[in-house]
Every structure is written in C-alpha cells, then in structure tokens.
Amino acid sequence: MKKRVITNIVSRSFGKFASHRFHPVLQKFINISYVKLMKLDMSEFKKPKEYRSLNELFTRSLVKKRVIDIADESIISPVDSLITECGRLESDRLLQIKGMEYSVKELLKEISAQNINRILDGEYINFYLSPRDYHRYHVPCDMQVRKAVHIPGRLYPVNLRFLKKKLNLFVENERVILECLNKEGVLFYIVLVGALNVGEMVLTFEERIRTNLDPDIKVYEYEDLWLKRGELFGYFKMGSTIVMLFEKESVELRVKSKDRVKYGIEVAKFKKG
C-alpha cells in the first residue's frame, strides 16, 4: 500500500477517534492525560474536563479575546507557533528549514504565472503549530480573499525532525492556498499545510473545502470577500503549518527564525507608499 494512502488513512482514523464523545468520566481522563502529556498551557482556555471530545480540546477557543493594539499597517501572527524559517525568497526558492529548499512555483499550484512573478524575491514566514499550540487561525491584516485552492496530497508529519529530512515536504502535503490582497492592493498568499493526524483544515468562509476527503484539486473564486484583522477564519484539527508569502518589496519582517509567537503580535509591517 502506498505511503500516501497509509498516512491519509491513519489521519482519518485518528480524526474519528478524536471527534468521538466518550462517556464523560473516560473523556475527562483522556483530556487531562493529553494536557499533561503535551504540557498544554490552559490558562487562556476552559478546564480540560469541559471539552466533550479531543477535537473540541484541539480546536479550543480563547475564553477571552486577545487585545490587538498595533498600527494599521502591521501584520499580526495568525497563530500561536514557532517560526521555523523566514526571510527573503531567492528568486522562487524558500526554506522549509535550514538546508531544505523548495519552489514557490510548485507550492502555489493553480496560481497564475503573472501573480507568482509578483511574489518572486519577496518575503516569507513559516509558522509551525505543535500539537500543544492553540489551533485556530486568525486574519493577519484587513484583507480581500480572491481565491482559495484546495490541493489534495500526502499527510507527512511537519515536525522539526521531519522537516530536516524530507525534501519538498510542503509541496507534497495536502494544502489550501488563499490568494489575498491588502487594502492597498498588495498581493500575498496564506498556505495552510496539512500533516499526519490533521483530520481537517477548516475555513469558516468556505464549507465546500473538505480536506483529507476530496481527491481532486478545487478552485474557489470570490468577488467581494473581505476579512478583518484578528477575525477567526478557521482551525486545524491537530497541529500543522502556515506559510505566508508576500509580494516583492512590500513588507518588513519583525521576526526571525526560531522565534515563538502568539496570535495577535506583530510579525511584519507593510511598507508605506
């Protein structure tokens, strides 16, 4: 059996287990055990026993909304995560981790050559979410979503150990690509990358995307879909990775590789003019 099939089946099976609501006593034990095993910081969330399944715990919402008090041109981290790599693309090449390059053109399938050319030599940031992180993702800046592309693929792990040994990991894994513009028309992309045991990548504005189920590439286009900075736009069921890519000479990064960030803090800033 092909490895692609095995990893997808494992992920679907885990997703079924995680979404199952066990007897409250057993569910409480599972939740508390997971929190202890993964060393989750639950200070911003409900108590572990209050979640009716592991999926509810994985996709937990904040009890209190975080205050975002930064400049209008600031780009916030969409997630709580580790920055595995960031910097400037070398033409169309970027890093999944030091020493492991891959191609933007291969990552951004179904995106026009004209728009890919606008990204070449631009800035990028990789956000890695471990299983212990808050799994919801939020809008990094006021933005228009012009297109969503669902690309089925493999579900390899995206942890640091696997990033160091598996070439073209982000290119081979299942992913959802969002083509976006800011208020000034700057082009950027948000790429949600699937991983082993990620049962679903959910978008709040697009229910037709069914990850780890639909075998065909699907493209969805939007006329006037605007999202506000800080707004929830979806969640991973388990940890995974987000890659952001920006039009050439459009942003200044405010983070570096190996920084830990939380949703709501500034990670980059659009250049004025």
Side-chain angles (χ1 to χ4, degrees):
M1 189 177 291
K2 294 181 180 179
K3 188 177 292 185
R4 176 171 64 91
V5 175
I6 292 172
T7 56
N8 286 46
I9 289 174
V10 168
S11 297
R12 288 191 198 113
S13 298
F14 184 83
K16 289 179 180 178
F17 167 79
S19 62
H20 185 76
R21 295 178 181 179
F22 293 95
H23 185 279
V25 175
L26 178 56
Q27 193 66 60
K28 177 181 176 181
F29 172 77
I30 292 171
N31 292 354
I32 291 174
S33 298
Y34 182 81
V35 168
K36 289 181 178 178
L37 178 65
M38 293 298 177
K39 300 179 181 178
L40 269 61
D41 179 0
M42 297 295 291
S43 60
E44 294 183 281
F45 309 98
K46 295 188 296 186
K47 294 180 180 179
K49 66 180 182 180
E50 296 184 47
Y51 298 98
R52 297 170 295 176
S53 69
L54 264 182
N55 262 343
E56 285 193 7
L57 177 59
F58 295 152
T59 60
R60 60 196 179 274
S61 60
L62 295 163
V63 172
K64 186 177 180 181
K65 188 176 179 180
R66 292 178 188 167
V67 177
I68 301 172
D69 185 20
I70 51 180
D72 288 345
E73 64 270 21
S74 294
I75 301 161
I76 65 170
S77 174
V79 287
D80 292 3
S81 65
L82 173 70
I83 306 296
T84 53
E85 284 295 344
C86 62
R88 179 168 295 173
L89 279 69
E90 298 292 336
S91 184
D92 86 320
R93 310 298 295 181
L94 69 161
L95 297 175
Q96 63 184 34
I97 204 164
K98 188 174 181 180
M100 298 290 273
E101 292 184 346
Y102 66 102
S103 167
V104 170
K105 294 174 184 177
E106 293 179 5
L107 180 72
L108 299 182
K109 282 186 178 180
E110 303 298 321
I111 299 302
S112 70
Q114 179 181 5
N115 281 348
I116 287 178
N117 285 338
R118 291 172 65 180
I119 298 296
L120 302 185
D121 296 312
E123 309 293 329
Y124 73 95
I125 308 174
N126 295 342
F127 302 88
Y128 166 64
L129 291 77
S130 75
R132 74 182 61 175
D133 286 316
Y134 169 61
H135 297 134
R136 297 191 172 212
Y137 27 88
H138 297 256
V139 179
C141 62
D142 291 349
M143 68 185 197
Q144 180 186 14
V145 181
R146 300 201 303 185
K147 182 183 292 186
V149 183
H150 173 215
I151 301 178
R154 304 184 181 189
L155 289 173
Y156 290 122
V158 295
N159 56 43
L160 296 179
R161 181 176 63 84
F162 221 78
L163 286 175
K164 291 176 181 178
K165 72 176 187 178
K166 176 59 182 165
L167 187 64
N168 289 328
L169 179 59
F170 296 160
V171 170
E172 292 190 29
N173 272 19
E174 182 171 28
R175 57 201 182 277
V176 176
I177 302 164
L178 301 183
E179 182 176 274
C180 310
L181 297 175
N182 78 345
K183 292 184 292 186
E184 283 70 43
V186 173
L187 177 69
F188 64 97
Y189 289 89
I190 301 173
V191 184
L192 311 173
V193 183
L196 183 68
N197 288 338
V198 177
E200 290 182 68
M201 293 178 282
V202 176
L203 292 174
T204 56
F205 61 84
E206 185 51 83
E207 295 182 353
R208 291 173 292 178
I209 292 179
R210 302 294 305 278
T211 60
N212 200 13
L213 287 174
D214 196 330
D216 301 317
I217 293 176
K218 297 287 180 65
V219 179
Y220 306 90
E221 297 184 344
Y222 310 99
E223 290 293 329
D224 193 30
L225 176 57
W226 283 90
L227 303 176
K228 289 190 170 294
R229 185 173 66 181
E231 183 180 346
L232 176 74
F233 75 96
Y235 51 88
F236 291 116
K237 292 188 176 180
M238 279 294 280
S240 197
T241 290
I242 291 178
V243 181
M244 292 190 67
L245 305 110
F246 300 93
E247 187 170 353
K248 181 180 178 181
E249 297 181 351
S250 65
V251 303
E252 297 175 357
L253 297 187
R254 293 287 193 260
V255 288
K256 60 184 184 299
S257 176
K258 305 303 182 291
D259 280 354
R260 283 212 64 90
V261 297
K262 287 205 165 191
Y263 140 62
I265 76 159
E266 183 184 66
V267 293
K269 183 174 287 188
F270 287 110
K271 294 180 180 179
K272 293 182 178 180

PDB file of all heavy atoms in Angstrom, residues 34-48 51 57 60-62 66 80 130-134 260 262:
ATOM      1  N   TYR A  34      -4.026  14.044  28.022  1.00  0.00           N
ATOM      2  CA  TYR A  34      -3.432  14.724  26.865  1.00  0.00           C
ATOM      3  C   TYR A  34      -2.795  16.048  27.273  1.00  0.00           C
ATOM      4  O   TYR A  34      -1.683  16.377  26.837  1.00  0.00           O
ATOM      5  CB  TYR A  34      -4.497  14.968  25.796  1.00  0.00           C
ATOM      6  CG  TYR A  34      -3.947  15.615  24.551  1.00  0.00           C
ATOM      7  CD1 TYR A  34      -3.308  14.864  23.572  1.00  0.00           C
ATOM      8  CD2 TYR A  34      -4.041  16.993  24.357  1.00  0.00           C
ATOM      9  CE1 TYR A  34      -2.781  15.462  22.441  1.00  0.00           C
ATOM     10  CE2 TYR A  34      -3.515  17.600  23.232  1.00  0.00           C
ATOM     11  CZ  TYR A  34      -2.886  16.826  22.269  1.00  0.00           C
ATOM     12  OH  TYR A  34      -2.357  17.429  21.164  1.00  0.00           O
ATOM     13  N   VAL A  35      -3.484  16.799  28.109  1.00  0.00           N
ATOM     14  CA  VAL A  35      -2.948  18.083  28.573  1.00  0.00           C
ATOM     15  C   VAL A  35      -1.628  17.883  29.307  1.00  0.00           C
ATOM     16  O   VAL A  35      -0.659  18.619  29.090  1.00  0.00           O
ATOM     17  CB  VAL A  35      -3.976  18.798  29.474  1.00  0.00           C
ATOM     18  CG1 VAL A  35      -3.331  19.979  30.207  1.00  0.00           C
ATOM     19  CG2 VAL A  35      -5.160  19.288  28.646  1.00  0.00           C
ATOM     20  N   LYS A  36      -1.568  16.872  30.152  1.00  0.00           N
ATOM     21  CA  LYS A  36      -0.330  16.597  30.901  1.00  0.00           C
ATOM     22  C   LYS A  36       0.770  16.089  29.990  1.00  0.00           C
ATOM     23  O   LYS A  36       1.932  16.505  30.096  1.00  0.00           O
ATOM     24  CB  LYS A  36      -0.609  15.587  32.004  1.00  0.00           C
ATOM     25  CG  LYS A  36      -1.437  16.140  33.159  1.00  0.00           C
ATOM     26  CD  LYS A  36      -1.651  15.086  34.242  1.00  0.00           C
ATOM     27  CE  LYS A  36      -2.435  15.658  35.417  1.00  0.00           C
ATOM     28  NZ  LYS A  36      -2.692  14.640  36.460  1.00  0.00           N
ATOM     29  N   LEU A  37       0.425  15.184  29.078  1.00  0.00           N
ATOM     30  CA  LEU A  37       1.418  14.604  28.173  1.00  0.00           C
ATOM     31  C   LEU A  37       2.038  15.661  27.270  1.00  0.00           C
ATOM     32  O   LEU A  37       3.259  15.697  27.083  1.00  0.00           O
ATOM     33  CB  LEU A  37       0.764  13.510  27.317  1.00  0.00           C
ATOM     34  CG  LEU A  37       1.658  12.825  26.279  1.00  0.00           C
ATOM     35  CD1 LEU A  37       2.765  12.041  26.954  1.00  0.00           C
ATOM     36  CD2 LEU A  37       0.831  11.921  25.369  1.00  0.00           C
ATOM     37  N   MET A  38       1.206  16.541  26.714  1.00  0.00           N
ATOM     38  CA  MET A  38       1.673  17.567  25.773  1.00  0.00           C
ATOM     39  C   MET A  38       2.074  18.866  26.463  1.00  0.00           C
ATOM     40  O   MET A  38       2.539  19.792  25.810  1.00  0.00           O
ATOM     41  CB  MET A  38       0.581  17.857  24.732  1.00  0.00           C
ATOM     42  CG  MET A  38       0.312  16.690  23.817  1.00  0.00           C
ATOM     43  SD  MET A  38       1.798  16.276  22.849  1.00  0.00           S
ATOM     44  CE  MET A  38       1.205  14.836  21.961  1.00  0.00           C
ATOM     45  N   LYS A  39       1.863  18.932  27.776  1.00  0.00           N
ATOM     46  CA  LYS A  39       2.226  20.125  28.565  1.00  0.00           C
ATOM     47  C   LYS A  39       1.523  21.372  28.022  1.00  0.00           C
ATOM     48  O   LYS A  39       2.140  22.418  27.804  1.00  0.00           O
ATOM     49  CB  LYS A  39       3.738  20.314  28.594  1.00  0.00           C
ATOM     50  CG  LYS A  39       4.480  19.142  29.220  1.00  0.00           C
ATOM     51  CD  LYS A  39       5.982  19.347  29.202  1.00  0.00           C
ATOM     52  CE  LYS A  39       6.713  18.154  29.811  1.00  0.00           C
ATOM     53  NZ  LYS A  39       8.177  18.293  29.763  1.00  0.00           N
ATOM     54  N   LEU A  40       0.219  21.247  27.823  1.00  0.00           N
ATOM     55  CA  LEU A  40      -0.569  22.377  27.331  1.00  0.00           C
ATOM     56  C   LEU A  40      -0.716  23.448  28.405  1.00  0.00           C
ATOM     57  O   LEU A  40      -0.953  23.141  29.569  1.00  0.00           O
ATOM     58  CB  LEU A  40      -1.973  21.913  26.914  1.00  0.00           C
ATOM     59  CG  LEU A  40      -2.181  21.492  25.464  1.00  0.00           C
ATOM     60  CD1 LEU A  40      -1.308  20.319  25.095  1.00  0.00           C
ATOM     61  CD2 LEU A  40      -3.646  21.182  25.200  1.00  0.00           C
ATOM     62  N   ASP A  41      -0.578  24.693  27.993  1.00  0.00           N
ATOM     63  CA  ASP A  41      -0.883  25.833  28.854  1.00  0.00           C
ATOM     64  C   ASP A  41      -2.360  26.161  28.658  1.00  0.00           C
ATOM     65  O   ASP A  41      -2.764  26.658  27.608  1.00  0.00           O
ATOM     66  CB  ASP A  41      -0.008  27.026  28.474  1.00  0.00           C
ATOM     67  CG  ASP A  41      -0.297  28.264  29.316  1.00  0.00           C
ATOM     68  OD1 ASP A  41      -1.176  28.204  30.201  1.00  0.00           O
ATOM     69  OD2 ASP A  41       0.352  29.297  29.083  1.00  0.00           O
ATOM     70  N   MET A  42      -3.170  25.873  29.677  1.00  0.00           N
ATOM     71  CA  MET A  42      -4.621  26.062  29.563  1.00  0.00           C
ATOM     72  C   MET A  42      -5.091  27.343  30.255  1.00  0.00           C
ATOM     73  O   MET A  42      -6.287  27.505  30.497  1.00  0.00           O
ATOM     74  CB  MET A  42      -5.337  24.854  30.153  1.00  0.00           C
ATOM     75  CG  MET A  42      -5.065  23.544  29.424  1.00  0.00           C
ATOM     76  SD  MET A  42      -5.695  23.539  27.718  1.00  0.00           S
ATOM     77  CE  MET A  42      -7.472  23.525  28.022  1.00  0.00           C
ATOM     78  N   SER A  43      -4.185  28.254  30.532  1.00  0.00           N
ATOM     79  CA  SER A  43      -4.548  29.452  31.297  1.00  0.00           C
ATOM     80  C   SER A  43      -5.527  30.369  30.552  1.00  0.00           C
ATOM     81  O   SER A  43      -6.235  31.150  31.176  1.00  0.00           O
ATOM     82  CB  SER A  43      -3.287  30.241  31.679  1.00  0.00           C
ATOM     83  OG  SER A  43      -2.565  30.642  30.520  1.00  0.00           O
ATOM     84  N   GLU A  44      -5.584  30.298  29.225  1.00  0.00           N
ATOM     85  CA  GLU A  44      -6.493  31.143  28.451  1.00  0.00           C
ATOM     86  C   GLU A  44      -7.741  30.390  27.991  1.00  0.00           C
ATOM     87  O   GLU A  44      -8.522  30.924  27.200  1.00  0.00           O
ATOM     88  CB  GLU A  44      -5.778  31.695  27.211  1.00  0.00           C
ATOM     89  CG  GLU A  44      -4.642  32.658  27.511  1.00  0.00           C
ATOM     90  CD  GLU A  44      -4.036  33.213  26.237  1.00  0.00           C
ATOM     91  OE1 GLU A  44      -3.234  32.501  25.604  1.00  0.00           O
ATOM     92  OE2 GLU A  44      -4.377  34.354  25.866  1.00  0.00           O
ATOM     93  N   PHE A  45      -7.926  29.160  28.489  1.00  0.00           N
ATOM     94  CA  PHE A  45      -8.991  28.318  27.970  1.00  0.00           C
ATOM     95  C   PHE A  45      -9.834  27.728  29.104  1.00  0.00           C
ATOM     96  O   PHE A  45      -9.502  27.869  30.276  1.00  0.00           O
ATOM     97  CB  PHE A  45      -8.386  27.195  27.120  1.00  0.00           C
ATOM     98  CG  PHE A  45      -7.431  27.687  26.069  1.00  0.00           C
ATOM     99  CD1 PHE A  45      -6.060  27.673  26.288  1.00  0.00           C
ATOM    100  CD2 PHE A  45      -7.902  28.190  24.871  1.00  0.00           C
ATOM    101  CE1 PHE A  45      -5.169  28.139  25.339  1.00  0.00           C
ATOM    102  CE2 PHE A  45      -7.020  28.660  23.904  1.00  0.00           C
ATOM    103  CZ  PHE A  45      -5.657  28.637  24.139  1.00  0.00           C
ATOM    104  N   LYS A  46     -10.894  27.054  28.737  1.00  0.00           N
ATOM    105  CA  LYS A  46     -11.713  26.353  29.720  1.00  0.00           C
ATOM    106  C   LYS A  46     -10.922  25.187  30.311  1.00  0.00           C
ATOM    107  O   LYS A  46      -9.902  24.765  29.771  1.00  0.00           O
ATOM    108  CB  LYS A  46     -12.992  25.833  29.060  1.00  0.00           C
ATOM    109  CG  LYS A  46     -13.932  26.915  28.557  1.00  0.00           C
ATOM    110  CD  LYS A  46     -15.259  26.341  28.089  1.00  0.00           C
ATOM    111  CE  LYS A  46     -15.122  25.420  26.906  1.00  0.00           C
ATOM    112  NZ  LYS A  46     -16.442  24.978  26.382  1.00  0.00           N
ATOM    113  N   LYS A  47     -11.414  24.632  31.406  1.00  0.00           N
ATOM    114  CA  LYS A  47     -10.750  23.489  32.027  1.00  0.00           C
ATOM    115  C   LYS A  47     -10.858  22.270  31.110  1.00  0.00           C
ATOM    116  O   LYS A  47     -11.867  22.084  30.415  1.00  0.00           O
ATOM    117  CB  LYS A  47     -11.377  23.201  33.381  1.00  0.00           C
ATOM    118  CG  LYS A  47     -11.148  24.314  34.400  1.00  0.00           C
ATOM    119  CD  LYS A  47     -11.791  23.983  35.736  1.00  0.00           C
ATOM    120  CE  LYS A  47     -11.550  25.097  36.743  1.00  0.00           C
ATOM    121  NZ  LYS A  47     -12.197  24.813  38.052  1.00  0.00           N
ATOM    122  N   PRO A  48      -9.831  21.410  31.086  1.00  0.00           N
ATOM    123  CA  PRO A  48      -9.828  20.246  30.188  1.00  0.00           C
ATOM    124  C   PRO A  48     -11.081  19.388  30.278  1.00  0.00           C
ATOM    125  O   PRO A  48     -11.571  18.879  29.257  1.00  0.00           O
ATOM    126  CB  PRO A  48      -8.581  19.464  30.622  1.00  0.00           C
ATOM    127  CG  PRO A  48      -7.684  20.494  31.208  1.00  0.00           C
ATOM    128  CD  PRO A  48      -8.583  21.499  31.872  1.00  0.00           C
ATOM    129  N   TYR A  51     -14.363  19.871  27.860  1.00  0.00           N
ATOM    130  CA  TYR A  51     -14.431  19.571  26.431  1.00  0.00           C
ATOM    131  C   TYR A  51     -14.981  18.160  26.227  1.00  0.00           C
ATOM    132  O   TYR A  51     -14.526  17.209  26.849  1.00  0.00           O
ATOM    133  CB  TYR A  51     -13.046  19.716  25.793  1.00  0.00           C
ATOM    134  CG  TYR A  51     -12.506  21.131  25.892  1.00  0.00           C
ATOM    135  CD1 TYR A  51     -11.606  21.484  26.889  1.00  0.00           C
ATOM    136  CD2 TYR A  51     -12.927  22.114  24.997  1.00  0.00           C
ATOM    137  CE1 TYR A  51     -11.119  22.783  26.991  1.00  0.00           C
ATOM    138  CE2 TYR A  51     -12.452  23.421  25.094  1.00  0.00           C
ATOM    139  CZ  TYR A  51     -11.549  23.741  26.094  1.00  0.00           C
ATOM    140  OH  TYR A  51     -11.090  25.028  26.184  1.00  0.00           O
ATOM    141  N   LEU A  57     -11.082  19.877  22.374  1.00  0.00           N
ATOM    142  CA  LEU A  57      -9.896  20.355  23.090  1.00  0.00           C
ATOM    143  C   LEU A  57      -8.860  20.894  22.109  1.00  0.00           C
ATOM    144  O   LEU A  57      -8.278  21.967  22.332  1.00  0.00           O
ATOM    145  CB  LEU A  57      -9.304  19.217  23.925  1.00  0.00           C
ATOM    146  CG  LEU A  57      -8.004  19.505  24.689  1.00  0.00           C
ATOM    147  CD1 LEU A  57      -8.180  20.671  25.663  1.00  0.00           C
ATOM    148  CD2 LEU A  57      -7.533  18.260  25.419  1.00  0.00           C
ATOM    149  N   ARG A  60      -9.939  24.303  20.640  1.00  0.00           N
ATOM    150  CA  ARG A  60     -10.461  25.159  21.712  1.00  0.00           C
ATOM    151  C   ARG A  60     -10.353  26.643  21.349  1.00  0.00           C
ATOM    152  O   ARG A  60      -9.392  27.076  20.726  1.00  0.00           O
ATOM    153  CB  ARG A  60      -9.702  24.890  23.021  1.00  0.00           C
ATOM    154  CG  ARG A  60      -8.207  25.165  22.940  1.00  0.00           C
ATOM    155  CD  ARG A  60      -7.454  24.534  24.105  1.00  0.00           C
ATOM    156  NE  ARG A  60      -6.021  24.785  24.007  1.00  0.00           N
ATOM    157  CZ  ARG A  60      -5.177  24.027  23.299  1.00  0.00           C
ATOM    158  NH1 ARG A  60      -5.638  22.989  22.618  1.00  0.00           N
ATOM    159  NH2 ARG A  60      -3.880  24.316  23.266  1.00  0.00           N
ATOM    160  N   SER A  61     -11.348  27.388  21.771  1.00  0.00           N
ATOM    161  CA  SER A  61     -11.330  28.837  21.569  1.00  0.00           C
ATOM    162  C   SER A  61     -10.828  29.518  22.831  1.00  0.00           C
ATOM    163  O   SER A  61     -10.898  28.961  23.931  1.00  0.00           O
ATOM    164  CB  SER A  61     -12.733  29.342  21.217  1.00  0.00           C
ATOM    165  OG  SER A  61     -13.638  29.048  22.266  1.00  0.00           O
ATOM    166  N   LEU A  62     -10.343  30.721  22.669  1.00  0.00           N
ATOM    167  CA  LEU A  62      -9.895  31.509  23.817  1.00  0.00           C
ATOM    168  C   LEU A  62     -11.097  31.913  24.664  1.00  0.00           C
ATOM    169  O   LEU A  62     -12.154  32.263  24.134  1.00  0.00           O
ATOM    170  CB  LEU A  62      -9.166  32.761  23.335  1.00  0.00           C
ATOM    171  CG  LEU A  62      -7.859  32.526  22.577  1.00  0.00           C
ATOM    172  CD1 LEU A  62      -7.458  33.781  21.812  1.00  0.00           C
ATOM    173  CD2 LEU A  62      -6.741  32.119  23.537  1.00  0.00           C
ATOM    174  N   ARG A  66      -8.001  38.223  22.762  1.00  0.00           N
ATOM    175  CA  ARG A  66      -6.766  38.983  22.939  1.00  0.00           C
ATOM    176  C   ARG A  66      -6.901  40.374  22.336  1.00  0.00           C
ATOM    177  O   ARG A  66      -7.491  40.559  21.269  1.00  0.00           O
ATOM    178  CB  ARG A  66      -5.589  38.246  22.286  1.00  0.00           C
ATOM    179  CG  ARG A  66      -5.228  36.945  22.993  1.00  0.00           C
ATOM    180  CD  ARG A  66      -4.089  36.234  22.294  1.00  0.00           C
ATOM    181  NE  ARG A  66      -3.879  34.908  22.872  1.00  0.00           N
ATOM    182  CZ  ARG A  66      -3.132  33.964  22.323  1.00  0.00           C
ATOM    183  NH1 ARG A  66      -2.505  34.203  21.181  1.00  0.00           N
ATOM    184  NH2 ARG A  66      -2.999  32.792  22.904  1.00  0.00           N
ATOM    185  N   ASP A  80      -0.597  30.842  17.189  1.00  0.00           N
ATOM    186  CA  ASP A  80       0.449  30.592  18.182  1.00  0.00           C
ATOM    187  C   ASP A  80       1.370  29.543  17.578  1.00  0.00           C
ATOM    188  O   ASP A  80       0.907  28.449  17.200  1.00  0.00           O
ATOM    189  CB  ASP A  80      -0.150  30.045  19.483  1.00  0.00           C
ATOM    190  CG  ASP A  80      -0.995  31.062  20.237  1.00  0.00           C
ATOM    191  OD1 ASP A  80      -1.173  32.185  19.729  1.00  0.00           O
ATOM    192  OD2 ASP A  80      -1.477  30.724  21.327  1.00  0.00           O
ATOM    193  N   SER A 130       2.680  23.113  16.901  1.00  0.00           N
ATOM    194  CA  SER A 130       2.837  21.793  17.502  1.00  0.00           C
ATOM    195  C   SER A 130       1.489  21.355  18.067  1.00  0.00           C
ATOM    196  O   SER A 130       0.569  22.173  18.205  1.00  0.00           O
ATOM    197  CB  SER A 130       3.885  21.837  18.621  1.00  0.00           C
ATOM    198  OG  SER A 130       3.336  22.458  19.769  1.00  0.00           O
ATOM    199  N   PRO A 131       1.345  20.068  18.402  1.00  0.00           N
ATOM    200  CA  PRO A 131       0.074  19.616  18.994  1.00  0.00           C
ATOM    201  C   PRO A 131      -0.307  20.341  20.280  1.00  0.00           C
ATOM    202  O   PRO A 131      -1.466  20.323  20.665  1.00  0.00           O
ATOM    203  CB  PRO A 131       0.343  18.128  19.260  1.00  0.00           C
ATOM    204  CG  PRO A 131       1.359  17.741  18.240  1.00  0.00           C
ATOM    205  CD  PRO A 131       2.248  18.943  18.107  1.00  0.00           C
ATOM    206  N   ARG A 132       0.648  21.011  20.921  1.00  0.00           N
ATOM    207  CA  ARG A 132       0.319  21.702  22.176  1.00  0.00           C
ATOM    208  C   ARG A 132      -0.200  23.122  21.946  1.00  0.00           C
ATOM    209  O   ARG A 132      -0.704  23.758  22.875  1.00  0.00           O
ATOM    210  CB  ARG A 132       1.548  21.742  23.087  1.00  0.00           C
ATOM    211  CG  ARG A 132       2.620  22.721  22.667  1.00  0.00           C
ATOM    212  CD  ARG A 132       3.835  22.703  23.574  1.00  0.00           C
ATOM    213  NE  ARG A 132       4.466  21.399  23.585  1.00  0.00           N
ATOM    214  CZ  ARG A 132       5.600  21.126  24.215  1.00  0.00           C
ATOM    215  NH1 ARG A 132       6.217  22.070  24.889  1.00  0.00           N
ATOM    216  NH2 ARG A 132       6.127  19.925  24.165  1.00  0.00           N
ATOM    217  N   ASP A 133      -0.081  23.627  20.728  1.00  0.00           N
ATOM    218  CA  ASP A 133      -0.452  25.013  20.464  1.00  0.00           C
ATOM    219  C   ASP A 133      -1.956  25.203  20.283  1.00  0.00           C
ATOM    220  O   ASP A 133      -2.695  24.255  20.006  1.00  0.00           O
ATOM    221  CB  ASP A 133       0.268  25.521  19.207  1.00  0.00           C
ATOM    222  CG  ASP A 133       1.737  25.803  19.436  1.00  0.00           C
ATOM    223  OD1 ASP A 133       2.064  26.409  20.477  1.00  0.00           O
ATOM    224  OD2 ASP A 133       2.554  25.409  18.582  1.00  0.00           O
ATOM    225  N   TYR A 134      -2.394  26.439  20.417  1.00  0.00           N
ATOM    226  CA  TYR A 134      -3.743  26.881  20.071  1.00  0.00           C
ATOM    227  C   TYR A 134      -3.906  26.703  18.564  1.00  0.00           C
ATOM    228  O   TYR A 134      -3.099  27.206  17.785  1.00  0.00           O
ATOM    229  CB  TYR A 134      -3.862  28.350  20.487  1.00  0.00           C
ATOM    230  CG  TYR A 134      -5.062  29.116  20.021  1.00  0.00           C
ATOM    231  CD1 TYR A 134      -6.345  28.728  20.378  1.00  0.00           C
ATOM    232  CD2 TYR A 134      -4.898  30.278  19.263  1.00  0.00           C
ATOM    233  CE1 TYR A 134      -7.444  29.475  19.976  1.00  0.00           C
ATOM    234  CE2 TYR A 134      -5.988  31.029  18.863  1.00  0.00           C
ATOM    235  CZ  TYR A 134      -7.264  30.624  19.222  1.00  0.00           C
ATOM    236  OH  TYR A 134      -8.350  31.370  18.822  1.00  0.00           O
ATOM    237  N   ARG A 260       9.330  32.240  18.971  1.00  0.00           N
ATOM    238  CA  ARG A 260       7.986  31.754  19.298  1.00  0.00           C
ATOM    239  C   ARG A 260       7.058  32.954  19.299  1.00  0.00           C
ATOM    240  O   ARG A 260       7.380  33.996  19.869  1.00  0.00           O
ATOM    241  CB  ARG A 260       7.968  31.044  20.651  1.00  0.00           C
ATOM    242  CG  ARG A 260       8.543  29.631  20.606  1.00  0.00           C
ATOM    243  CD  ARG A 260       7.859  28.719  21.608  1.00  0.00           C
ATOM    244  NE  ARG A 260       6.445  28.542  21.309  1.00  0.00           N
ATOM    245  CZ  ARG A 260       5.961  27.568  20.530  1.00  0.00           C
ATOM    246  NH1 ARG A 260       6.764  26.697  19.962  1.00  0.00           N
ATOM    247  NH2 ARG A 260       4.657  27.480  20.314  1.00  0.00           N
ATOM    248  N   LYS A 262       2.778  34.465  19.279  1.00  0.00           N
ATOM    249  CA  LYS A 262       1.378  34.215  19.602  1.00  0.00           C
ATOM    250  C   LYS A 262       0.500  35.017  18.664  1.00  0.00           C
ATOM    251  O   LYS A 262       0.865  36.110  18.205  1.00  0.00           O
ATOM    252  CB  LYS A 262       1.075  34.587  21.055  1.00  0.00           C
ATOM    253  CG  LYS A 262       1.664  33.607  22.064  1.00  0.00           C
ATOM    254  CD  LYS A 262       0.870  33.641  23.356  1.00  0.00           C
ATOM    255  CE  LYS A 262       1.198  32.431  24.217  1.00  0.00           C
ATOM    256  NZ  LYS A 262       0.264  32.295  25.345  1.00  0.00           N
TER     257      LYS A 262
END
